[in-house]
Amino acid sequence: MNQSEPLRPSSLATFFYVLSLSLASTCWAHGDVTPQAVDTSALPALGKEWKQDNPYRGNATAIKVGSSAFNQNCARCHGLEAISGGIAPDLRKLDNECATQKVAKAQALCLREIDEYFLGKFRRGVTRNGAVYMPPFEGILNQEAAWSIKSYLETRREKPLVAAK
């Protein structure tokens, strides 16, 4: 077929058939994802007891590990660089409220509450009316991976965290 010939109906039908199959496979692939291992060997071990606060906050190594872990395990739903495409919450907004706190004690309490919220969702996942919106990662990824992901997310904040007085 040269460029001046119009597409035949059978060619158009084949094109749209292949396009629809590729789009359908993309949609179906979203729900059947195998978690990827996260190498946390460069991070200080945290032990078996889960920490209440992010022990890696501001740790450059943890942020690097967390970036990789996020992209491998979270970005499918929460978006590349944590910029959600609408499937799941935009995690850059996770601690926006903490950024507005002007009193150091209130800001620290806010960060602790957000850490607790994040850890709960990470460990137990999210299920509504029997539908799994986020799989639980406890027993699949360790707490070093969890806190490294949280450390990475803190670098992606929508509102920068300013030290309160």
Side-chain angles (χ1 to χ4, degrees), residues 34-65:
T34 302
Q36 300 299 305
V38 177
D39 180 7
T40 59
S41 61
L43 298 172
L46 298 177
K48 292 187 185 262
E49 294 294 318
W50 286 80
K51 306 293 182 200
Q52 290 185 357
D53 299 318
N54 184 355
Y56 298 144
R57 188 166 280 128
N59 179 313
T61 303
I63 292 166
K64 184 177 178 182
V65 170

Side-chain angles (χ1 to χ4, degrees), residues 31-111:
D32 189 18
V33 178
T34 302
Q36 300 299 305
V38 177
D39 180 7
T40 59
S41 61
L43 298 172
L46 298 177
K48 292 187 185 262
E49 294 294 318
W50 286 80
K51 306 293 182 200
Q52 290 185 357
D53 299 318
N54 184 355
Y56 298 144
R57 188 166 280 128
N59 179 313
T61 303
I63 292 166
K64 184 177 178 182
V65 170
S67 172
S68 176
F70 181 89
N71 286 324
Q72 292 176 39
N73 292 290
C74 312
R76 283 179 190 87
C77 297
H78 292 284
L80 293 174
E81 298 185 10
I83 302 170
S84 178
I87 293 174
D90 188 327
L91 297 177
R92 296 171 305 152
K93 300 176 181 187
L94 187 62
D95 55 8
N96 272 354
E97 187 177 324
C98 301
T100 63
Q101 299 296 322
K102 303 210 184 312
V103 177
K105 189 173 181 178
Q107 188 178 67
L109 181 60
C110 182
L111 290 171

Side-chain angles (χ1 to χ4, degrees), residues 2 44 66 70 79 105 117 119 124-125 128 137 145 147 156 162:
N2 67 38
F70 181 89
K105 189 173 181 178
Y117 174 82
L119 201 56
R124 293 179 278 288
R128 285 188 209 112
F137 284 99
W147 289 123
R156 302 293 306 140
V162 179

